[in-house]
């Protein structure tokens, strides 16, 4: 593998697996690498070292999420205001005000109150497949828990939850033809159409929360107030859109990736089954080894130098999380999957202004789903290889058939 072989814009490459060989070359030879324009994607600086990704993430005044959003593809000019209305694509001070309101509603008390219900959801999810002896781990298990948690928190009726799941798939799977209605990779405008559908659905939830207040996140959001400021209707709708992606798609992805990692490392799976007290460190290692997001974008707001490279104002920088999480200067034997790894200061949840708002909820869900699977589903094997998402954005598995010894339904 040489620098001339590097291509981080081709979703077909990522569908075969995260291109760790490319990242290794970049970290060693060109950690701040100008990636030329390819496939209609404008050129960008590829940031592959842990320290650089961390520093850029913690300097939003110089590296903006808002100026051009956080995805690799450049937004169309008329779509930019829509993109900038999502919390993920905000800079301070707007981001801090907005996040402060969300934090007030999305409180530790609310997350902790979900623990018992999440455990019950896990029992129910496993009960649906346990007698069959086979399932699609992604669709039948990994996707179910985060979707149910978010929908329950936001008061989404049971009959609407599948629709939210399918719209979310279209929003993040724009490069994968199997996730689009017409079976073709979608232009960015189609992902934005799906986002608009989710936005309109969120408006229905907002009206429901106002008409019938409940002890849920939707009602808490419309009542949250800081210094006289409240979320506008538009803010509420955009947060729901982000929640479905950041809180659903990513946790599903980590669950599927983690199961795959364990199956690929049977010694680690065996050790974890024997001692579930290893779950906390195992989950951190799953997050490090296969983070849910490949990359987010920042845009330089002024000329700056990084490792001797001259970055110009408005240059695009892509922050590659799978690479930072295997940086040899930070992680010993970084390509080894080790459920006992400690310390493990990975960047799977980001860092700085945009550190994942739902990190504690995600950890709680991951602990419970893996506890349930490892306690109840035995002799797991794969009759066929997992099928990965065709995406340079989400590091996901879209289908993963497993077989196992059938077991009994467990009463709640």
């Amino acid at each position: 593998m040489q620098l001339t072989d590097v291509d981080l814009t081709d979703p077909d490459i990522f569908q075969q697996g995260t291109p760790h060989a490319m990242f290794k070359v970049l970290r060693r030879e060109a950690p701040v690498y100008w990636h030329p324009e390819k496939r209609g994607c404008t050129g960008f600086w590829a940031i592959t070292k842990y320290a650089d990704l961390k520093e850029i993430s913690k300097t939003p005044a110089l590296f903006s999420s808002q100026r051009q959003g956080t995805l690799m593809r450049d937004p169309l000019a008329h779509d930019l205001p829509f993109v900038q209305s999502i919390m993920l694509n905000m800079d301070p001070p707007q981001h801090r005000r907005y996040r402060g309101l969300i934090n007030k509603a999305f409180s530790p008390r609310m997350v902790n109150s979900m623990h018992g219900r999440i455990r019950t959801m896990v029992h129910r999810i496993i009960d649906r497949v346990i007698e069959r002896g086979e399932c699609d781990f992604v669709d039948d298990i990994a996707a179910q828990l985060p979707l149910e948690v978010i929908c329950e928190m936001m008061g989404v009726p049971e009959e609407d939850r599948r629709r939210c799941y399918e719209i979310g798939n279209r929003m993040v799977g724009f490069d994968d033809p199997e996730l689009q209605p017409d079976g073709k990779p979608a232009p960015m405008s189609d992902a934005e159409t799906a986002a608009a559908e989710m936005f309109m659905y969120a408006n229905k939830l907002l009206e429901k929360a106002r008409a019938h207040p409940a002890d849920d996140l939707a009602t808490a959001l419309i009542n949250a107030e800081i210094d006289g400021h409240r979320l506008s209707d538009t803010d509420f709708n955009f947060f729901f859109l982000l929640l479905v992606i950041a809180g659903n798609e990513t946790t599903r992805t980590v669950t599927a990736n983690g199961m795959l990692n364990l199956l690929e490392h049977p010694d680690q799976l065996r050790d974890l089954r024997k001692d579930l007290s290893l779950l906390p460190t195992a989950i951190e290692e799953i997050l490090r080894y296969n983070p849910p997001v490949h990359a987010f974008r920042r845009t330089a707001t002024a000329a700056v130098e990084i490792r001797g490279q001259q970055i110009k104002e408005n240059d695009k920088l892509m922050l590659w999380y799978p690479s930072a999480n295997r940086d040899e200067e930070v992680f010993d034997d970084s390509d080894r999957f080790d459920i006992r790894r400690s310390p493990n200061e990975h960047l799977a949840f980001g860092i700085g202004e945009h550190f994942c708002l739902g990190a504690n909820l995600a950890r709680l869900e991951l602990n419970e789903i893996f506890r349930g699977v490892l306690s109840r589903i035995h002799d797991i094997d794969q009759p066929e290889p997992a099928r990965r998402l065709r995406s340079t954005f989400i590091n996901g598995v879209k289908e993963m058939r497993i077989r196992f010894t059938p077991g009994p339904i467990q009463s709640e």
Side-chain angles (χ1 to χ4, degrees):
M1 176 68 65
Q2 299 177 327
L3 268 179
T4 52
D5 299 319
V6 169
D7 183 356
L8 299 176
T9 66
D10 187 353
D12 288 328
I13 291 174
F14 284 81
Q15 190 170 29
Q16 302 307 310
T18 303
H20 287 294
M22 288 185 190
F23 289 138
K24 192 167 286 191
V25 168
L26 288 170
R27 288 194 302 273
R28 184 178 66 241
E29 298 181 21
V32 181
Y33 171 70
W34 178 252
H35 193 296
E37 179 174 350
K38 290 187 179 182
R39 295 176 186 79
C41 176
T42 54
F44 58 85
W45 294 99
I47 306 299
T48 52
K49 293 285 286 180
Y50 183 99
D52 298 335
L53 192 151
K54 189 173 179 179
E55 182 62 25
I56 289 167
S57 299
K58 294 172 79 171
T59 319
L62 194 51
F63 303 102
S64 169
S65 299
Q66 189 159 350
R67 191 170 281 201
Q68 287 292 321
T70 51
L71 299 185
M72 184 184 289
R73 294 189 188 184
D74 299 331
L76 300 172
H78 67 269
D79 290 326
L80 189 56
F82 181 91
V83 169
Q84 291 170 330
S85 298
I86 300 172
M87 186 168 66
L88 185 68
N89 303 320
M90 292 179 183
D91 290 333
Q94 180 191 19
H95 176 262
R96 287 176 189 163
R97 284 197 304 269
Y98 190 98
R99 186 171 174 126
L101 283 166
I102 301 296
N103 267 333
K104 196 161 186 182
F106 203 82
S107 63
R109 183 193 66 81
M110 178 166 281
V111 171
N112 291 336
S113 74
M114 290 294 296
H115 199 158
R117 281 181 282 173
I118 288 173
R119 187 162 287 184
T120 298
M121 289 175 193
V122 170
H123 288 327
R124 195 165 57 232
I125 289 164
I126 294 174
D127 279 350
R128 292 184 200 133
V129 301
I130 191 73
E131 294 180 310
R132 287 171 18 202
E134 61 85 28
C135 71
D136 173 6
F137 187 85
V138 175
D139 202 42
D140 294 328
I141 296 179
Q144 297 302 313
L145 182 62
L147 182 67
E148 286 195 28
V149 168
I150 285 165
C151 288
E152 178 155 329
M153 290 179 79
M154 290 294 289
V156 176
E158 197 82 41
E159 62 270 18
D160 291 346
R161 295 180 181 184
R162 186 71 191 182
R163 179 186 171 206
C164 290
Y165 173 63
E166 289 168 352
I167 297 173
N169 274 348
R170 284 167 49 210
M171 286 169 63
V172 301
F174 45 81
D175 275 328
D176 196 317
E178 290 187 19
L179 299 182
Q180 301 304 321
D182 60 1
K184 298 176 182 176
M188 200 64 190
S189 58
D190 283 13
E192 285 152 5
T193 299
E197 288 179 43
M198 194 73 84
F199 187 91
M200 296 304 293
Y201 181 76
N203 205 55
K204 284 176 56 180
L205 279 184
L206 175 62
E207 291 169 3
K208 174 175 169 281
R210 283 211 174 105
H212 306 285
D215 185 19
D216 59 23
L217 181 58
T219 301
L221 285 169
I222 61 176
N223 291 328
E225 183 177 329
I226 293 180
D227 299 331
H229 293 287
R230 289 175 178 256
L231 290 179
S232 68
D233 292 4
T234 302
D235 290 336
F236 177 96
N237 295 349
F238 275 117
F239 177 69
F240 179 70
L241 185 151
L242 178 63
L243 192 62
V244 169
I245 299 304
N248 177 31
E249 301 287 341
T250 54
T251 307
R252 171 184 73 175
T253 294
V254 174
T255 305
N257 285 346
M259 193 70 244
L260 193 56
N261 296 152
L262 289 167
L263 290 172
E264 289 171 344
H265 298 85
D267 58 324
Q268 303 286 293
L269 175 58
R270 183 184 63 247
D271 289 353
L272 189 55
R273 277 196 194 276
K274 284 180 182 174
D275 183 3
L276 291 178
S277 71
L278 293 170
L279 266 174
T281 54
I283 284 164
E284 298 308 313
E285 181 67 345
I286 287 166
L287 286 158
R288 180 196 75 86
Y289 196 75
N290 247 330
V293 172
H294 285 304
F296 278 127
R297 171 188 182 153
R298 298 292 185 267
T299 302
T301 61
V304 62
E305 181 178 308
I306 307 175
R307 293 187 188 262
Q309 298 294 337
Q310 302 300 318
I311 315 295
K312 300 190 298 292
E313 181 179 359
N314 292 320
D315 275 1
K316 182 197 308 187
L317 300 91
M318 296 302 302
L319 314 182
W320 294 95
Y321 296 88
S323 179
N325 278 352
R326 299 211 188 182
D327 189 334
E328 298 83 356
E329 292 183 8
V330 178
F331 301 99
D332 293 335
D333 201 1
S334 61
D335 286 330
R336 181 167 57 91
F337 180 68
D338 178 7
I339 62 170
R340 295 176 175 83
R341 183 181 295 273
S342 182
N344 193 346
E345 299 294 325
H346 62 77
L347 298 175
F349 286 125
I351 195 165
E353 291 286 330
H354 289 280
F355 179 79
C356 177
L357 186 72
N360 288 338
L361 179 61
R363 286 183 168 115
L364 174 57
E365 291 179 37
L366 291 165
N367 263 283
E368 289 303 321
I369 195 69
F370 279 107
R371 184 179 302 278
V373 167
L374 296 175
S375 299
R376 297 185 58 196
I377 301 181
H378 299 283
D379 307 314
I380 301 173
D381 71 10
Q382 290 179 265
E384 57 195 58
R387 298 174 60 238
R388 288 178 51 83
L389 186 66
R390 183 181 183 271
S391 175
T392 58
F393 174 40
I394 296 291
N395 179 22
V397 176
K398 62 186 174 185
E399 184 182 35
M400 181 178 160
R401 307 299 309 182
I402 63 168
R403 293 180 302 208
F404 48 88
T405 300
I409 289 176
Q410 185 175 91
S411 58
E412 295 175 5

